[in-house]
Amino acid sequence: KAGVTQTPRYLIKTRGQQVTLSCSPISGHRSVSWYQQTPGQGLQFLFEYFSETQRNKGNFPGRFSGRQFSNSRSEMNVSTLELGDSALYLCASSLGRGASTDTQYFGPGTRLTVL
Amino acid sequence: GQQLNQSPQSMFIQEGEDVSMNCTSSSIFNTWLWYKQEPGEGPVLLIALYKAGELTSNGRLTAQFGITRKDSFLNISASIPSDVGIYFCAGHFVGANAGKSTFGDGTTLTVKP
């Protein structure tokens, strides 16, 4: 079965622009979570979507938003980009049933560079 | 919020040596996970632990879910050059918060041939 896919893999933007990243989960998975990974802060949870609704949210400013479509594909958007937004953005999918065995599987990530 | 302390931060070992790393938490988790990440890729799941006291192996890897549910360790036996990477522990809860994992800062493993 195909794994989690993320597009694009690499992105270069300038400060003030906005960006949209896309994630397609593993077939049958209904939960999609987004994480930001930076050398200084490690892996930080952004938000989780399940059945087109945001179910969990991390401690990021409102410039970071997301959505999920009926086919479970998800997008995240960052508006008014800042230099500090440069990071690897990872998407993870899971069945979303909330069981202890509900393990997250990660995509390869989108490397965002803000100049 | 929850904090995961992962140690050591980095390890430099000779091929063939055994490796041990661990994570401790200020909170109880229902599930402990160990991932490996290589440059330019997302984390890949190595081992998932679901019950306190559980000991699980995956080839040369062995991990345990601590009895207190606040800690876990990962052992790699007879290391080889392809073990190089960053190893992360992660914990999550059941229920509506299952989609929100908390990660350790990672252990960077270097294996010298």
Side-chain angles (χ1 to χ4, degrees):
Chain A
K1 141 160 80 163
V4 179
T5 58
Q6 291 186 245
T7 57
R9 291 294 308 276
Y10 302 92
L11 208 47
I12 299 175
K13 292 285 188 179
T14 56
R15 277 182 298 176
Q17 287 186 309
Q18 74 162 15
V19 67
T20 299
L21 313 181
S22 180
C23 172
S24 292
I26 291 171
S27 177
H29 284 190
R30 295 172 63 196
S31 166
V32 173
S33 297
W34 289 90
Y35 294 83
Q36 181 195 65
Q37 186 177 30
T38 59
Q41 297 296 318
L43 271 151
Q44 301 287 315
F45 174 78
L46 280 155
F47 30 66
E48 180 212 5
Y49 284 86
F50 177 78
S51 290
E52 302 177 65
T53 302
Q54 188 180 85
R55 186 161 69 171
N56 279 293
K57 188 177 188 305
N59 298 320
F60 278 80
R63 300 186 297 107
F64 292 81
S65 62
R67 59 178 176 167
Q68 187 179 35
F69 302 94
S70 58
N71 61 358
S72 294
R73 190 177 70 85
S74 177
E75 289 181 345
M76 71 163 277
N77 183 277
V78 188
S79 62
T80 320
L81 284 166
E82 301 177 359
L83 294 179
D85 297 333
S86 294
L88 181 67
Y89 289 89
L90 292 160
C91 158
S93 78
S94 67
L95 290 170
R97 295 174 302 189
S100 62
T101 52
D102 209 356
T103 305
Q104 292 186 319
Y105 295 88
F106 283 85
T110 294
R111 171 73 64 185
L112 172 65
T113 302
V114 182
L115 302 176
Chain B
Q2 294 84 27
Q3 296 285 333
L4 282 188
N5 296 309
Q6 186 172 350
S7 64
Q9 195 172 39
S10 61
M11 301 183 75
F12 296 82
I13 62 169
Q14 204 72 38
E15 182 178 0
E17 290 183 355
D18 296 343
V19 170
S20 185
M21 57 192 81
N22 69 82
C23 268
T24 58
S25 169
S26 56
S27 303
I28 291 173
F29 287 114
N30 295 108
T31 300
W32 280 94
L33 306 161
W34 285 92
Y35 291 89
K36 178 188 177 187
Q37 187 176 26
E38 298 185 23
E41 299 297 327
V44 174
L45 182 68
L46 297 173
I47 292 180
L49 301 157
Y50 306 117
K51 292 193 304 187
E54 180 181 357
L55 184 71
T56 297
S57 293
N58 178 7
R60 294 177 297 104
L61 278 60
T62 302
Q64 184 158 31
F65 191 144
I67 289 291
T68 65
R69 294 168 64 194
K70 290 186 176 182
D71 63 315
S72 177
F73 73 75
L74 174 71
N75 287 342
I76 305 174
S77 62
S79 59
I80 58 178
S82 62
D83 290 334
V84 165
I86 305 176
Y87 292 79
F88 291 97
C89 62
H92 75 73
F93 303 96
V94 295
N97 286 324
K100 175 183 176 181
S101 292
T102 301
F103 282 80
D105 289 336
T107 295
T108 301
L109 179 63
T110 303
V111 180
K112 294 180 287 186

